[in-house]
Amino acid sequence: MHLRMGIALATAWLAQAPGMHSRVQTREVEYRQGSTMLKGFIAWNDSVPGKRPGVLVVHEWWGLNDHARNQARRLAEAGYVGFAIDMYGNGKTTTHPQDAQAFATEATKDPAVLAARFNAALDLLKKDPRVDPTRIAAIGYCFGGAVVLGMARSGADLGAVVTFHGALATQSPAQPGKVKARILVLAGGADPFVPPEQVETFKKEMQAAGARFEVVTYPGAKHGFTNPVAASYGMPQLAYDAAADRESWAAMLKLFREVFP
């Protein structure tokens, strides 16, 4: 009898414990930029009351795949609304580097279109009934890191921008006083696509612009260090690094807590 009572009490306590009612919901969404159909993925936690910060997630050059969707889910678990957006159109993806290069080149050939696709997603996120439209951040991976950083450079009204193994070079450096967002760059120390000299040039650019920024480098981490299937793409420059993935995610959440108290 005592054992049964103990089990019942433990079950009741667990049912009321914080986080036990956590329910992450997801939904595929369609939206447009001009005549281009875009397909995104939004995630939120039903157990979080009221409006909360929204976070745009911009995919790697592979397109809006499971990696980007998973980041949106992780954001929802952390209490945000995560919106994995589509920068290519029709939600197209690939696992072939040549195709990925072609997709990224096409998407970036007109900076105005690139910004318009980002802003179409931003407008949609701001209208979500669960989102506080005054508290918006953007994160990006690889290609997506360059996208969100470009938006920050252009003066986008974002609270925070975080890049994970994203390209830092630009043809349009930030101008003094232009950058509104807090910027966090999370880079791999062994990433051949983002070498140390590129990091140093970026730091000088941000300092000259008067931006609030931080760069964290993970020694030994290669490009794509947040993607568990990075090695499957057949590129020796890519590798998953569990420690860098964990630590970079924690660094992002720390920034969000500071920007969105």
Side-chain angles (χ1 to χ4, degrees), residues 116-165:
R117 289 185 181 178
F118 180 92
N119 286 327
L122 176 60
D123 290 344
L124 189 65
L125 182 62
K126 285 183 174 180
K127 293 175 183 175
D128 188 289
R130 294 165 287 264
V131 171
D132 178 349
T134 67
R135 297 192 293 165
I136 303 291
I139 68 175
Y141 297 80
C142 179
F143 159 85
V147 170
V148 299
L149 191 53
M151 296 306 300
R153 284 179 166 119
S154 70
D157 191 14
L158 299 166
V161 160
V162 183
T163 80
F164 297 79
H165 43 85

Side-chain angles (χ1 to χ4, degrees), residues 171-196:
Q171 298 297 318
S172 304
Q175 298 302 304
K178 187 79 169 179
V179 179
K180 298 176 182 177
R182 286 271 300 274
I183 295 176
L184 175 61
V185 169
L186 304 164
D191 184 346
F193 298 135
V194 190

